Amino acid sequence: MKRKYDKAFENVIRLQVMSILMANERFDFNGFKEMMEVSDGNLSTHLRTLEKLEYIAVEKSFVGRKPQTNYWATTKGRLAFQEHLNYLENLIKEHKS
Amino acid sequence: MENPEKALSEIRLMMERSSRFLSLSGISGILAGLYALIGAGLLYFWLQEISLESGHSTQGLIWRVMILAIVVLVLAVGTAGWMSRRRSRKNSLKFWAPASRKFMRALFLPVISGGVFALALVHVNQYNLIAAVTLIFYGLGLVSASHFTMNEIKHLGIGQLIIGLLAAFFPSFGLLLWALGFGVLHIVYGGLMYYRYER
């Protein structure tokens, strides 16, 4: 198994977004804003980066009249995140030995 | 995120905070148990009074009991909300967050159904299963809400469920079992949660 550093998770906001989507089936844009200290623009930029990598998928809908943007992690994204976790764990192990 | 330990702890924190509501206050559980015990005691006293004055109408009692039930419920939910809000503020977490909304939805759907079911029982003059119904629906609500908070809540829910099923088989012990579930079990679990997470 290759254990390389995934640049997608270098940024702390993208790391947080992906962590949230690993623990929750779906999460909406405002939910992310409630969880993290981030501006709208900054959050959208990072979400778009993850979307382009096909790590997350997005669906826009309406709840009543309010637009809602839901995100979830794709299989590709979940595998990439798992890889990244393995990489981090390995790094810690190497440091200890 | 250069430092792997820091990255891992950030990941863990985000996963936990986004999926679980961890500000539930143990002390408010103890207080809810006390309100329930006082309410059950008061009802027991009223029932004694009625059986002494035979021929007295029970219609007045039913209204008194419903008002008592609403007061106990509002006090318990209000205390839990207020104290949990204070705890989240103290830990600089948002009280109204995706995880707490999921927790409340999971809890209140069965609880409100159970409450309406209990009202229906009052409506058809079937009082002996009310204790069982409120305990069972509350237990189911706790079990479903436990996916979004501390795991102990699941055990509390299963406890309420078992006591509720017992109350269904032995309705003459309904009030006693209700006091055991909503009163004693809340105090025990509230104390346990306080001991584990809030000291």
Side-chain angles (χ1 to χ4, degrees):
Chain A
M1 205 196 296
K2 64 175 169 44
R3 295 222 165 96
K4 64 174 185 358
Y5 185 67
D6 194 332
K7 284 223 164 173
F9 305 124
E10 192 172 30
N11 176 281
V12 67
I13 291 167
R14 292 199 293 267
L15 187 78
Q16 288 174 328
V17 163
M18 210 57 203
S19 308
I20 291 172
L21 291 182
M22 290 298 282
N24 296 272
E25 218 177 315
R26 275 161 174 262
F27 225 72
D28 79 327
F29 189 85
N30 293 320
F32 285 121
K33 275 202 340 191
E34 284 172 311
M35 297 301 307
M36 334 178 345
E37 307 226 330
V38 63
S39 69
D40 279 27
N42 206 356
L43 178 60
S44 337
T45 312
H46 288 300
L47 284 167
R48 220 171 299 129
T49 308
L50 288 170
E51 211 188 310
K52 270 189 200 134
L53 284 165
E54 294 176 339
Y55 282 7
I56 64 173
V58 56
E59 188 183 68
K60 287 181 188 185
S61 60
F62 279 86
V63 177
R65 278 188 193 165
K66 270 196 214 156
Q68 200 183 39
T69 317
N70 266 301
Y71 295 86
W72 65 93
T74 61
T75 311
K76 189 179 170 190
R78 286 182 178 274
L79 288 174
F81 192 77
Q82 206 62 52
E83 280 289 309
H84 189 68
L85 279 181
N86 289 339
Y87 165 82
L88 291 173
E89 270 170 14
N90 249 28
L91 208 63
I92 291 169
K93 263 187 223 154
E94 275 166 28
H95 269 282
K96 275 185 184 156
S97 57
Chain B
M1 287 273 125
E2 301 280 302
N3 181 340
E5 274 102 352
K6 225 178 116 191
L8 280 179
S9 75
E10 186 64 46
I11 290 166
R12 187 173 305 135
L13 184 76
M14 273 298 144
M15 287 178 122
E16 198 177 84
R17 266 193 195 178
S18 65
S19 60
R20 281 174 191 266
F21 169 57
L22 297 174
S23 304
L24 205 56
S25 147
I27 298 172
S28 72
I30 299 176
L31 288 173
L34 288 176
Y35 304 150
L37 284 182
I38 293 168
L42 207 55
L43 177 57
Y44 180 77
F45 176 71
W46 290 346
L47 289 172
Q48 293 294 311
E49 225 178 23
I50 289 260
S51 63
L52 288 177
E53 316 163 22
S54 52
H56 207 277
S57 104
T58 52
Q59 203 54 45
L61 178 72
I62 291 160
W63 281 109
R64 258 194 290 170
V65 174
M66 296 225 313
I67 292 165
L68 177 69
I70 290 167
V71 169
V72 169
L73 184 72
V74 168
L75 272 176
V77 172
T79 309
W82 179 64
M83 296 196 79
S84 301
R85 208 193 168 95
R86 254 186 28 171
R87 266 199 79 200
S88 24
R89 207 172 300 153
K90 209 174 101 192
N91 300 329
S92 53
L93 290 170
K94 283 207 176 83
F95 175 69
W96 197 244
S100 61
R101 283 197 290 273
K102 280 184 200 162
F103 169 83
M104 285 178 220
R105 226 175 290 145
L107 176 64
F108 284 116
L109 187 68
V111 164
I112 290 169
S113 314
V116 174
F117 194 177
L119 281 178
L121 289 175
V122 172
H123 182 68
V124 296
N125 298 316
Q126 292 288 331
Y127 304 106
N128 51 6
L129 284 180
I130 291 177
V133 163
T134 50
L135 283 162
I136 289 169
F137 278 82
Y138 179 54
L140 291 174
L142 287 176
V143 172
S144 80
S146 71
H147 300 293
F148 309 110
T149 187
M150 298 93 147
N151 215 29
E152 287 87 344
I153 294 298
K154 183 188 262 167
H155 305 139
L156 175 63
I158 291 169
Q160 304 285 10
L161 200 53
I162 291 169
I163 296 173
L165 291 170
L166 278 174
F169 278 98
F170 306 103
S172 52
F173 294 101
L175 185 58
L176 187 71
L177 289 167
W178 193 91
L180 184 68
F182 281 97
V184 177
L185 220 53
H186 266 150
I187 293 171
V188 169
Y189 268 86
L192 184 78
M193 307 276 276
Y194 176 73
Y195 183 80
R196 280 201 185 153
Y197 303 109
E198 291 167 57
R199 283 186 317 156

